[in-house]
Amino acid sequence: MDYRFLWILVAALLLIIVGLLLRMNLYKKQLHSFTEQLRFFRKEKKDGLISVESFGKDYIDLAKELQQFVDEEQELIEQSEKDRQSVKHMVAGISHDFRTPLTSAMGYIQLAEKDETVSEKTAASLRKAYDKTKYLKELSDEFFALSVMENRSEEELTELSFKKLFENITLEQYDWTVKSGISFEADITDDPCMMQASEVDMTRLLINLYSNAKKYSKSKIRVALRQSESEISFNIDNDLEEEALIDERRVFEPFHREYVGEQGGNGLGLYVTKRIVENYGGIISAEKDENIFSIKILFKRGKTNE
């Protein structure tokens, strides 16, 4: 038996195996490089050139296809940002053009109401016209807030103290609570409740909640703000008249309007509030226990709420 031939055959097989292993390792290394480069471009939202460590035809062809994908993706991102800014400016312009005449109309109606020559019948008609115009303005305000919030970018967020903002908005409620004979209780943490958010969004959130309480509270409002290691919680409760019909399962639906006597909202306030909360990764819920209506909000303290 020719053992020399056998050894040559074994050596050749070993060389083939080693060559295949080296080639597989090269494939694996190049694929890993492609993966890391794509991950970087995706996370940083940047474009760049795909580098190739091996100049084999298959690698170069794959690199060309990946490069085209990266370039097209970057073009889509840039176009999306341009469209977002365009929509934002358009909404702001439309909102301004829509709200300004409504505000003027409300002023003229109030002036007409003060005219001593106006009959009671005409005064009643003017009051109805004022209420309808005010409703349209409130509706446009909510549409504007929702549109701006939906088109807000991360670059527009700042670190703010939810507690400080909450205290400022709460102080603004003093006059109407006193005039209405509403008792007001506040339980506020000493923690600053820092979070990454837009002050405009958080202000709209709090104003909408207070506006809802103002419409439907009978004699008292209670608010509480707390902070733990993992979350910021905010609760607002108000009592209701016995005949109040509040369906806590539907209060966050758009254009669902609850009525208490002559009171009634525009149907968007709590819907916009819910969208704001969820846009920041929070949770909002409502419940009714006998004659107490409660809204609870939780913001997680993490990447966006620290």
Side-chain angles (χ1 to χ4, degrees), residues 138 176 208 210-217 238 258 260 263-266:
E138 291 175 349
W176 71 261
N208 282 357
Y210 274 125
S211 176
N212 187 75
K214 181 179 180 179
K215 288 183 177 74
Y216 303 122
S217 60
N238 63 269
E258 302 286 0
V260 181
Q263 296 286 348
N266 56 45

Side-chain angles (χ1 to χ4, degrees), residues 3 8 27 52 55-56 61-63 84 92 104 112 114 119 122 124 139 141 151 185-186 206 227 265 272 280:
Y3 290 101
I8 293 174
Y27 271 115
V52 182
F55 294 97
D61 289 342
L62 178 57
R84 189 187 68 81
S104 299
K114 294 179 181 179
S119 65
T122 301
L139 201 61
D141 289 343
N151 289 282
E185 299 179 15
L206 292 170
Q227 174 182 307
V272 171
Y280 285 89

Side-chain angles (χ1 to χ4, degrees), residues 173-217:
Q173 316 307 312
Y174 177 78
D175 287 342
W176 71 261
T177 54
V178 172
K179 291 179 181 178
S180 303
I182 302 292
S183 67
F184 192 92
E185 299 179 15
D187 183 9
I188 305 175
T189 178
D190 292 330
D191 297 312
C193 300
M194 303 302 296
M195 63 187 303
Q196 288 287 338
S198 163
E199 184 172 338
V200 173
D201 291 343
M202 293 301 113
T203 298
R204 170 60 60 179
L205 181 152
L206 292 170
I207 288 177
N208 282 357
L209 291 175
Y210 274 125
S211 176
N212 187 75
K214 181 179 180 179
K215 288 183 177 74
Y216 303 122
S217 60

Side-chain angles (χ1 to χ4, degrees), residues 119-185:
S119 65
E120 292 184 5
K121 183 178 180 180
T122 301
S125 297
L126 288 171
R127 173 49 52 184
K128 290 182 180 180
Y130 177 85
D131 291 340
K132 295 298 182 182
T133 306
K134 182 181 178 183
Y135 167 75
L136 286 175
K137 184 178 181 300
E138 291 175 349
L139 201 61
S140 68
D141 289 343
E142 296 296 353
F143 269 124
F144 177 67
L146 183 61
S147 299
V148 171
M149 185 271 294
E150 294 287 2
N151 289 282
R152 197 179 302 287
S153 65
E154 292 185 5
E155 288 75 15
E156 297 176 80
L157 306 184
T158 59
E159 185 175 22
L160 59 83
S161 169
F162 188 81
K163 173 194 174 184
K164 183 177 180 180
L165 181 63
F166 166 67
E167 290 176 333
N168 290 338
I169 300 298
T170 298
L171 287 174
E172 295 175 1
Q173 316 307 312
Y174 177 78
D175 287 342
W176 71 261
T177 54
V178 172
K179 291 179 181 178
S180 303
I182 302 292
S183 67
F184 192 92
E185 299 179 15

Side-chain angles (χ1 to χ4, degrees), residues 3-257:
Y3 290 101
R4 186 176 60 179
F5 174 76
L6 183 60
W7 281 112
I8 293 174
L9 180 61
V10 170
L13 289 174
L14 287 175
L15 287 174
I16 292 172
I17 292 172
V18 170
L20 289 173
L21 290 175
L22 289 175
R23 191 174 184 84
M24 290 177 62
N25 185 63
L26 185 61
Y27 271 115
K28 182 178 180 181
K29 185 177 180 181
Q30 184 63 76
L31 289 174
H32 178 72
S33 174
F34 285 154
T35 301
E36 289 300 314
Q37 291 179 73
L38 289 174
R39 182 178 292 118
F40 172 78
F41 294 143
R42 178 177 57 81
K43 287 185 176 181
E44 298 299 325
K45 296 182 179 179
K46 297 179 179 178
D47 58 354
L49 296 177
I50 299 291
S51 63
V52 182
E53 299 179 9
S54 174
F55 294 97
K57 183 179 183 302
D58 292 339
Y59 298 123
I60 294 176
D61 289 342
L62 178 57
K64 288 180 179 178
E65 293 298 323
L66 291 175
Q67 186 67 59
Q68 183 175 354
F69 172 78
V70 170
D71 293 342
E72 291 176 353
E73 186 71 13
Q74 184 61 27
E75 290 178 4
L76 289 174
I77 292 174
E78 293 175 356
Q79 186 60 47
S80 176
E81 177 61 21
K82 291 179 181 179
D83 292 342
R84 189 187 68 81
Q85 291 294 337
S86 177
V87 169
K88 185 176 180 180
H89 292 151
M90 181 181 66
V91 169
I94 292 175
S95 177
H96 177 269
D97 293 342
F98 192 67
R99 290 185 295 174
T100 299
L102 288 175
T103 302
S104 299
M106 290 169 62
Y108 287 126
I109 293 173
Q110 286 181 313
L111 287 175
E113 283 185 300
K114 294 179 181 179
D115 189 344
E116 295 180 356
T117 63
V118 171
S119 65
E120 292 184 5
K121 183 178 180 180
T122 301
S125 297
L126 288 171
R127 173 49 52 184
K128 290 182 180 180
Y130 177 85
D131 291 340
K132 295 298 182 182
T133 306
K134 182 181 178 183
Y135 167 75
L136 286 175
K137 184 178 181 300
E138 291 175 349
L139 201 61
S140 68
D141 289 343
E142 296 296 353
F143 269 124
F144 177 67
L146 183 61
S147 299
V148 171
M149 185 271 294
E150 294 287 2
N151 289 282
R152 197 179 302 287
S153 65
E154 292 185 5
E155 288 75 15
E156 297 176 80
L157 306 184
T158 59
E159 185 175 22
L160 59 83
S161 169
F162 188 81
K163 173 194 174 184
K164 183 177 180 180
L165 181 63
F166 166 67
E167 290 176 333
N168 290 338
I169 300 298
T170 298
L171 287 174
E172 295 175 1
Q173 316 307 312
Y174 177 78
D175 287 342
W176 71 261
T177 54
V178 172
K179 291 179 181 178
S180 303
I182 302 292
S183 67
F184 192 92
E185 299 179 15
D187 183 9
I188 305 175
T189 178
D190 292 330
D191 297 312
C193 300
M194 303 302 296
M195 63 187 303
Q196 288 287 338
S198 163
E199 184 172 338
V200 173
D201 291 343
M202 293 301 113
T203 298
R204 170 60 60 179
L205 181 152
L206 292 170
I207 288 177
N208 282 357
L209 291 175
Y210 274 125
S211 176
N212 187 75
K214 181 179 180 179
K215 288 183 177 74
Y216 303 122
S217 60
K218 174 185 177 182
S219 61
K220 61 182 179 180
I221 297 174
R222 182 173 60 248
V223 294
L225 178 63
R226 284 282 173 264
Q227 174 182 307
S228 67
E229 293 183 1
S230 60
E231 61 189 22
I232 296 172
S233 64
F234 173 71
N235 299 347
I236 180 168
D237 307 333
N238 63 269
D239 60 349
L240 301 168
E241 298 286 352
E242 292 183 1
E243 65 273 16
L245 300 175
I246 300 290
D247 186 349
E248 65 272 24
R249 298 167 299 180
R250 301 189 61 197
V251 293
F252 298 118
E253 294 180 6
F255 300 108
H256 176 71
R257 301 173 64 185

